[in-house]
Amino acid sequence: MATSGAELDGVLSATGGGVLVRVKVLAGSSRTKVAGVLGDRLKVAVSAAAEGGKANRAVCELLARVVGVAKRDTVVATGKAQPLKTVKIMGAKLCDVTKRLGEALSRGG
């Protein structure tokens, strides 16, 4: 079943030069994947530990792969030391990010 753009309302927002993604990170998970939507956050599971920026890098790499942008175009904008983060995807369009994340959610990560 396809995920609607409405499910991602509050999770995604357009900003100057890109898209902001509000995430809840589950570090130290068994798999790295987009795990679902939890309220106004995209739930992202990463196998990397939450130490030394490893989980942040894993989140950025995952979102870059899912959305189809270069890793260098994803950065943790807020919450670097917290599980609740905002990731900026630079140069992306809101409609494209919504579509790609919806597809990832539909196939389970």
Side-chain angles (χ1 to χ4, degrees):
M1 180 173 136
T3 299
S4 69
E7 185 177 351
L8 294 169
D9 283 352
V11 173
L12 305 175
S13 59
T15 185
V19 174
L20 295 176
V21 184
R22 295 167 49 89
V23 298
K24 162 80 167 127
V25 178
L26 305 170
S29 297
S30 60
R31 274 187 62 212
T32 296
K33 65 179 184 173
V34 176
V37 176
L38 183 63
D40 65 349
R41 299 277 176 171
L42 183 70
K43 190 164 50 168
V44 178
V46 294
S47 58
E51 61 186 33
K54 293 176 187 174
N56 289 341
R57 283 190 295 278
V59 168
C60 289
E61 289 171 7
L62 173 64
L63 290 176
R65 180 174 47 80
V66 168
V67 174
V69 299
K71 285 187 270 187
R72 69 178 176 274
D73 291 335
T74 60
V75 294
V76 176
T78 64
K80 289 185 170 123
Q82 303 296 322
L84 300 179
K85 304 177 186 303
T86 301
V87 177
K88 183 172 184 180
I89 303 174
M90 296 177 283
K93 294 180 182 175
L94 182 60
C95 59
D96 296 335
V97 174
T98 301
K99 179 181 177 205
R100 295 287 185 99
L101 287 175
E103 291 168 351
L105 288 166
S106 293
R107 66 178 180 266

